[in-house]
Amino acid sequence: IPSDSTVAVQSRTLQYGSATTTTVPSRASYPTITPDVPFKLRFLAGELLGFMFVLLSTVYIFVVPASLSRPALMRAMFDRILKRTLDIAGAIVGLVLTSPLWLVIPIAIKLDSSGPVFYTQTRVGINRRKRDRRCFNRTADSDRRDRDRRRADYMGKPFQVLKFRTMVQDAEKASGPVWAVKGDPRITRVGAFLRRTRIDEIPQFINVLRGEMALVGPRPERPNFVRDLSTRVTGYSARLEVKPGLTGLAQVENGYDTTVAGVADKIKYDLQYIREWSLLTDIKIMLRTVVVVFTGRGAC
């Protein structure tokens, strides 16, 4: 019965299809794609580079202090590495160039006086315990030590300097540590020549290779002189901020120390060198040292 809620829909005829049987190819008939060797190598290299990047990034984040990311500290580390590289290369070249003297000088020393060919003496090196040399400042644990681990405070790291002997054996047995002066009777005839030409310091190339000294830097001094001069000469302890040198600005300008006044004059050059250090400065000082060796200027 028609009503307002009924709708007339046109009739449709529905048709159904039928499935046909199809043949699925076997797995063995599929084409095989084999990557070429260069592709495999590139893939392996990419995986290795990715792994190294993640590993190094993790090490940098968790191991390297944040303070080392500062440009000034990074520059200081680079300069330190550059100077050490120059020291090693220069010491090796120096040993090679002076190798004939290692045969002649010992014979001359033994013929001139009795005693050993080489002479060792305790000298004071760089002060590595100075607090403002740390890469980062300590606050809470700055006073955690009850005592200093050093049994004797030399104000720097002590080491044994190596030289050709220029004085008679046991020269300071009666007098104790004293400065050498011009015309010092303790100096042998061969020793006077070695001191005048600075040849007596050639064995210190070995100290440079050990890392105890640098090619260029302040002159290393004995512990008793360091303690005494630190109280008498203003700024003397500041020269221990760097490694002592085989030669230096003060050495080529003033020669050997003979008086406290002379030490005070040399301190100015040492502090100037520390403030204005550069690779070019080291090269200039080494070239000036060659002139001093041949002229004997400033020898004692």
Side-chain angles (χ1 to χ4, degrees):
I1 300 175
S3 65
D4 295 337
S5 60
T6 59
V7 178
V9 179
Q10 184 178 1
S11 62
R12 295 180 180 178
T13 302
L14 300 178
Q15 296 180 352
Y16 297 93
S18 59
T20 59
T21 303
T22 181
T23 303
V24 179
S26 64
R27 188 179 184 85
S29 63
Y30 290 161
T32 303
I33 302 176
T34 304
D36 56 349
V37 175
F39 174 80
K40 290 182 177 180
L41 292 177
R42 289 196 300 269
F43 177 80
L44 180 60
E47 290 294 314
L48 290 176
L49 289 176
F51 174 76
M52 292 298 297
F53 175 78
V54 173
L55 179 61
L56 294 177
S57 298
T58 304
V59 171
Y60 182 84
I61 293 172
F62 290 100
V63 177
V64 179
S67 57
L68 292 183
S69 299
R70 300 172 186 173
L73 288 177
M74 294 297 290
R75 175 62 184 273
M77 290 181 61
F78 176 77
D79 289 344
R80 204 174 308 162
I81 294 173
L82 187 64
K83 182 173 177 63
R84 180 58 183 156
T85 303
L86 176 65
D87 289 341
I88 294 174
I92 294 174
V93 172
L95 288 172
V96 171
L97 294 179
T98 60
S99 56
L101 296 177
W102 288 79
L103 301 176
V104 177
I105 298 303
I107 297 175
I109 292 175
K110 296 298 289 186
L111 292 176
D112 184 52
S113 62
S114 60
V117 172
F118 298 101
Y119 177 70
T120 60
Q121 191 177 67
T122 301
R123 299 293 178 95
V124 179
I126 187 172
N127 180 14
R128 298 189 183 278
R129 297 286 298 278
K130 193 171 181 181
R131 186 157 303 279
D132 59 6
R133 290 178 57 84
R134 297 185 184 274
C135 291
F136 53 91
N137 296 325
R138 289 186 161 176
T139 54
D141 61 343
S142 59
D143 298 325
R144 73 187 190 281
R145 293 195 185 107
D146 294 331
R147 65 177 180 85
D148 199 311
R149 288 178 294 181
R150 287 177 177 166
R151 295 184 181 275
D153 187 8
Y154 292 99
M155 302 183 68
K157 184 177 180 180
F159 67 97
Q160 295 296 314
V161 71
L162 184 63
K163 303 176 68 174
F164 285 124
R165 182 174 59 85
T166 59
M167 292 188 177
V168 296
Q169 190 174 7
D170 299 326
E172 295 183 338
K173 185 176 182 179
S175 63
V178 293
W179 274 319
V181 295
K182 288 188 178 296
D184 196 323
R186 301 172 301 168
I187 301 176
T188 64
R189 291 172 297 178
V190 172
F193 171 77
L194 297 181
R195 281 174 168 260
R196 185 169 60 254
T197 57
R198 301 297 201 278
I199 293 177
D200 63 317
E201 298 182 354
I202 286 177
Q204 293 177 31
F205 282 127
I206 297 176
N207 292 113
V208 175
L209 290 178
R210 290 176 179 173
E212 299 162 337
M213 295 178 62
L215 287 178
V216 182
R219 174 183 170 83
E221 197 51 84
R222 287 182 276 184
N224 54 320
F225 288 158
V226 171
R227 286 191 293 267
D228 178 49
L229 294 173
S230 296
T231 61
R232 301 172 64 184
V233 179
T234 303
Y236 186 88
S237 58
R239 66 199 297 274
L240 300 176
E241 294 180 4
V242 298
K243 286 183 182 180
L246 182 61
T247 184
L249 181 62
Q251 289 91 305
V252 297
E253 290 289 345
N254 277 18
Y256 285 106
D257 302 329
T258 55
T259 63
V260 175
V263 173
D265 291 336
K266 291 182 67 174
I267 290 300
K268 300 176 183 177
Y269 293 108
D270 286 335
L271 299 183
Q272 176 185 345
Y273 169 77
I274 294 174
R275 289 193 307 268
E276 302 175 359
W277 178 87
S278 68
L279 185 63
L280 182 60
T281 300
D282 277 5
I283 295 175
K284 288 180 178 179
I285 292 175
M286 285 188 285
L287 292 177
R288 292 183 61 184
T289 302
V290 175
V291 177
V292 172
V293 167
F294 283 100
T295 60
R297 184 171 63 88
C300 179

